[in-house]
Amino acid sequence: QKEVEQNSGPLSVPEGAIASLNCTYSDRGSQSFFWYRQYSGKSPELIMFIYSNGDKEDGRFTAQLNKASQYVSLLIRDSQPSDSATYLCAVSSNSGYALNFGKGTSLLVTP
Amino acid sequence: SAVISQKPSRDICQRGTSLTIQCQVDSQVTMMFWYRQQPGQSLTLIATANQGSEATYESGFVIDKFPISRPNLTFSTLTVSNMSPEDSSIYLCSAGRGQGDGYTFGSGTRLTVV
């Protein structure tokens, strides 16, 4: 059973702080890792993806991947109230195409 | 990234009827998928829509219940057949040219079966 695990939260951080969202996965053959943001009542929105071990930065967002530990994380710097949403971690299936999603972490950024 | 138009956005249907959901992409894409999301839950993959051939279904989902069409590289439909209240959910289309571009989602169809 391929699993993607996330802490459901809620994770509460003050405005301006760094939010750290974590995800672990069970399938060692996974190749690609994605972070989506989902506002209540909306569909998921792709934030960024990462394939290689290490860090990948895009604006205020940094994705970190450690394949040996089967761990991927998302850092949000200078968190804003508008970042309050559920963040979904997704991992490529062993077929290499469809994504397997975690249950998401709810983030609350307080003013 | 691909822009996806999905319709209808919501519907209320009678038990035993069928509903077809359409997904139109603004550019040719390699991959198209259909997901279901129960309230407060994550996304469950129903099937991969294959262009010109039968869809590939995940465990627990069958073609008779969720027939899928994909006649070309920009369009797909999902039909929810012989609906029961347990089919009430949000259905989402996702598409992309491949993992190198990531996959985007349509706006979803909120289905209520009464």
Side-chain angles (χ1 to χ4, degrees):
Chain A
Q1 181 76 13
K2 298 165 287 186
E3 295 195 353
V4 179
E5 299 288 344
Q6 295 180 258
N7 188 321
S8 62
L11 172 66
S12 183
V13 300
E15 183 174 358
I18 295 175
S20 177
L21 304 161
N22 304 315
C23 173
T24 59
Y25 59 95
S26 62
D27 182 4
R28 282 200 170 273
S30 299
Q31 297 293 320
S32 308
F33 308 86
F34 299 78
W35 283 100
Y36 287 83
R37 175 174 63 195
Q38 187 173 28
Y39 292 110
S40 181
K42 301 295 186 181
S43 62
E45 171 192 8
L46 180 64
I47 299 173
M48 62 189 305
F49 48 87
I50 186 168
Y51 305 129
S52 304
N53 279 326
D55 295 0
K56 179 181 178 182
E57 187 174 317
D58 184 358
R60 295 188 296 114
F61 299 97
T62 298
Q64 299 175 318
L65 175 61
N66 184 325
K67 289 186 177 180
S69 300
Q70 295 176 244
Y71 176 93
V72 59
S73 66
L74 179 70
L75 301 179
I76 306 174
R77 290 182 298 281
D78 187 24
S79 295
Q80 301 297 309
S82 58
D83 294 326
S84 298
T86 296
Y87 289 79
L88 300 169
C89 173
V91 176
S92 65
S93 70
N94 58 13
S95 71
Y97 296 113
L99 301 183
N100 188 23
F101 282 81
K103 294 187 177 182
T105 297
S106 176
L107 173 67
L108 178 63
V109 181
T110 56
Chain B
S1 299
V3 176
I4 303 172
S5 298
Q6 184 176 341
K7 60 181 182 181
S9 58
R10 60 179 63 228
D11 207 341
I12 301 173
C13 300
Q14 294 292 321
R15 180 195 301 256
T17 62
S18 298
L19 175 72
T20 296
I21 303 168
Q22 298 183 0
C23 178
Q24 177 72 55
V25 190
D26 70 338
S27 59
Q28 293 187 344
V29 290
T30 308
M31 309 302 298
M32 293 184 77
F33 308 98
W34 288 96
Y35 289 86
R36 183 169 73 181
Q37 188 174 31
Q38 305 281 11
Q41 301 297 314
S42 190
L43 286 79
T44 301
L45 179 66
I46 298 172
T48 301
N50 300 309
Q51 191 266 326
S53 64
E54 191 171 290
T56 304
Y57 290 84
E58 297 299 303
S59 176
F61 298 96
V62 296
I63 187 171
D64 289 346
K65 176 66 174 177
F66 298 100
I68 288 172
S69 77
R70 189 177 174 193
N72 56 50
L73 292 176
T74 63
F75 185 78
S76 179
T77 66
L78 167 74
T79 299
V80 186
S81 303
N82 187 26
M83 288 183 286
S84 67
E86 291 71 35
D87 295 319
S88 297
S89 188
I90 298 171
Y91 292 85
L92 292 150
C93 168
S94 177
R97 286 181 285 271
Q99 294 184 12
D101 290 334
Y103 300 117
T104 54
F105 281 85
S107 54
T109 297
R110 183 180 295 269
L111 171 62
T112 302
V113 183
V114 298

